[in-house]
Amino acid sequence: MSEIVIKVKDLVKKFGNFVANDHLCFEVYKGEIFGFLGANGAGKTTAIKILCGLSKPTSGEINVAGFDAYHETEKIKKSIGYMSQKFSLYEDLTITENIRFYGGIYGLSAKEIKLRTADLLEKLNLTEAKDKLIKDLPLGWRQKLAFSVAILHQPKIVFLDEPTGGVDPITRRQFWNMIYEAAHNGITVFVTTHYMDEAEYCNRVSIMVDGKIAALDTPENLMKTFQVENMEKVFLKLARG
Amino acid sequence: MKRFKGFVIKEFYHIFRDYRTMVILFGMPFVQILIFGFAITNEIKNAGIAILDNSKDAVTQKITNKILSSDYFKLEKNLINYSEIEDNFRKGKIKEVIVFEHDFAKKLEKEKKAGIQIIADASDPNTASMLSSYTLSIINSYQQEMMKYQKFPMQIEPEVKMLYNEELKGVFMFVPGTITILLMLISAMMTSISITREKELGTMEVLLVSPLKPMQIIIGKVFPYIFIAFSIAIIILLMGFTVFGMPVQGNLLLLLGECLLFIIMALSLGIFISTLCKTQQIAMMISMFALMLPTILLSGFIFPIENMPVPLQILSNIVPTRWFIIIIKAILLKGVGIAYIWKETLVIAGMTVIFIGLSIKKFKVRLS
């Protein structure tokens, strides 16, 4: 097995009496696309917040990119990228200005930012549009750009929280191609989604039900175990209990 | 008709279930009636005055009693010599000084005339002109009463002096007021809106996940507004100076320093508001209603605080602009130094600390 980049053992998060995460245990490997599924309110967001260093766990051992989630959140933040379901670029800034800003907050030098901006624009075919405001771009382009910006600083892990919400099927497909490419380059992708076809694109999938991980395996094995032909049925079977 | 009825019922549900709208709908008229009814009266009651009686005879005593027995005035201090006048005005406790000349009664008897000097603090021109005219009419009526008993005509000659603002220019009042209101609104409203905008767009989440520290994010957000608000303060001062002849009697550096302190206070209030709100709209509403009204009505900008009923006077203490208007008027018009306004400065500094403390507390609760 390859290197472990996220290691979670007995993660518990309580809000008062409510247990949002109940003894979660899982490991994520380098370069893997790890699907993190669950119905709304199952505790996904809480777990992601802890993994990103935004929130402190109640108990358990959590290690992200080699750093401890209790005391080394600053170091974790430097080694990860993040893109949320809500749109994360500034609409009133141009493409280049957005890239420069994000590069800046992750501490890239002006030279590096310039180099990577040129690369990125060329790859996305956006060189001519580089001085356009984000609000003038179609949603699909924005989403792709947001993902590229989230991995601009070449993080070890990128967290994608429902990255393809509200996007058409073609763009979603293109978006997943970008995810594959990132994973191929050694970036671990931790993704949540509500689209079950997307779940099948993941290397491994965990499904959360009521704060617990109810299943964790490759999509093929999950379908075999539950004797169904697609992930949607796996999900429904688990979520309904 | 049935469809329409259903629609109207739905609309009422919207209104009744949104408690913010309810508070504004029913709270506003309530507050406005009370404030306009009680606070906003141009009548002056219990204005603090000082008397410098150089004569101390029966006549001056009678006039003094007559003046003090009216509801308008309240004796703060008996002065002994002229040099005390300026100092007492600077402290801001008194609005008017009445000076009787030496041998008042004797002169009145022998020369048939005697002089009274009325000195008013015209840094608030409306109050000053009203107080002086009250005083004049009391003196007049005393004179007429005397005439009934005396066969020969006699003359009390009042001389009115408007201190700090001889021409009673209204601009001397509204320049400090405008600076205060604009700084408050720009700083508090703009920061609260710009922070909530990042929350609404989801970019705040991205910033929080980044290696930036929350403190850096907040300071980075408010820094431009410090700059903008400060520039606006300078523009207003310059305009007041060049266009309206508004003097800057006091130390310019002290004035700018106090402006900066006030801006920082308003910014931290803006930050605090943004921790309470999820959307820009709510932030804007809170800033407008919670800041605009008290800033204009309860700050003493337009309506003197002394005239308000006691509960409103107490309430006005928590309005930050009240303190800043005192400071800025004192520096601009009276030319005082920090020794006279350290209390007000301390209040604003204290408010800054409180707002920042509350924001940090709110922020930590959200993270854990």
Side-chain angles (χ1 to χ4, degrees), chain B residues 298-323:
Chain B
L298 294 180
S299 64
F301 166 32
I302 302 179
F303 309 103
I305 291 164
E306 297 81 15
N307 305 350
M308 296 176 188
V310 178
L312 280 180
Q313 285 193 27
I314 294 169
L315 190 68
S316 78
N317 284 320
I318 61 164
V319 177
T321 41
R322 171 193 172 159
W323 306 103

Side-chain angles (χ1 to χ4, degrees), chain B residues 198-211:
Chain B
E198 298 242 18
K199 279 199 211 171
E200 234 181 304
L201 292 177
T203 43
M204 189 54 110
E205 245 174 274
V206 178
L207 294 179
L208 288 173
V209 174
S210 81

Side-chain angles (χ1 to χ4, degrees), chain A residues 121-188:
Chain A
L121 289 174
E122 199 176 332
K123 220 168 69 187
L124 292 177
N125 256 328
L126 283 174
T127 310
E128 276 175 23
K130 69 181 169 52
D131 293 324
K132 269 196 177 168
L133 296 180
I134 295 294
K135 66 176 169 205
D136 298 327
L137 296 180
L139 185 66
W141 286 24
R142 294 190 202 179
Q143 221 83 349
K144 284 187 254 173
L145 189 62
F147 178 71
S148 307
V149 169
I151 57 171
L152 185 75
H153 57 294
Q154 295 167 345
K156 281 190 176 165
I157 308 159
V158 61
F159 289 88
L160 306 175
D161 193 1
E162 289 172 33
T164 52
V167 173
D168 66 77
I170 299 171
T171 315
R172 261 170 62 200
R173 188 65 246 194
Q174 291 171 338
F175 193 83
W176 272 89
N177 285 338
M178 294 180 69
I179 293 181
Y180 278 125
E181 200 195 318
H184 184 74
N185 292 334
I187 296 178
T188 306

Side-chain angles (χ1 to χ4, degrees), chain B residues 198-265:
Chain B
E198 298 242 18
K199 279 199 211 171
E200 234 181 304
L201 292 177
T203 43
M204 189 54 110
E205 245 174 274
V206 178
L207 294 179
L208 288 173
V209 174
S210 81
L212 284 174
K213 297 200 172 61
M215 214 47 176
Q216 288 177 314
I217 298 175
I218 297 299
I219 293 175
K221 288 234 58 124
V222 301
F223 190 80
Y225 293 105
I226 295 184
F227 181 75
I228 291 171
F230 199 63
S231 315
I232 287 175
I234 290 173
I235 290 171
I236 299 174
L237 284 175
L238 272 176
M239 275 187 54
F241 181 71
T242 52
V243 182
F244 299 107
M246 175 97 193
V248 181
Q249 305 283 9
N251 187 324
L252 190 62
L253 277 179
L254 176 64
L255 179 67
L256 295 180
E258 293 278 358
C259 284
L260 199 62
L261 174 67
F262 182 70
I263 290 169
I264 292 172
M265 187 284 306

Side-chain angles (χ1 to χ4, degrees), chain A residues 13 15 49 52 54-56 74 77-78 80-92 101-102 105-106 161, chain B residues 194 197-214 216-217 221 278 364-368:
Chain A
K13 176 72 183 183
F15 296 101
K49 277 195 174 164
C52 292
L54 280 188
S55 171
K56 293 260 191 285
E74 293 310 314
K77 286 178 175 181
K78 280 182 194 146
I80 62 169
Y82 176 83
M83 177 187 163
S84 78
Q85 54 186 340
K86 280 201 208 159
F87 198 59
S88 52
L89 296 175
Y90 290 95
E91 297 206 336
D92 51 352
F101 171 73
Y102 281 106
I105 61 177
Y106 280 95
D161 193 1
Chain B
S194 87
R197 183 168 64 195
E198 298 242 18
K199 279 199 211 171
E200 234 181 304
L201 292 177
T203 43
M204 189 54 110
E205 245 174 274
V206 178
L207 294 179
L208 288 173
V209 174
S210 81
L212 284 174
K213 297 200 172 61
Q216 288 177 314
I217 298 175
K221 288 234 58 124
K278 282 212 175 77
K364 284 204 171 134
V365 167
R366 212 163 60 86
L367 280 187
S368 70

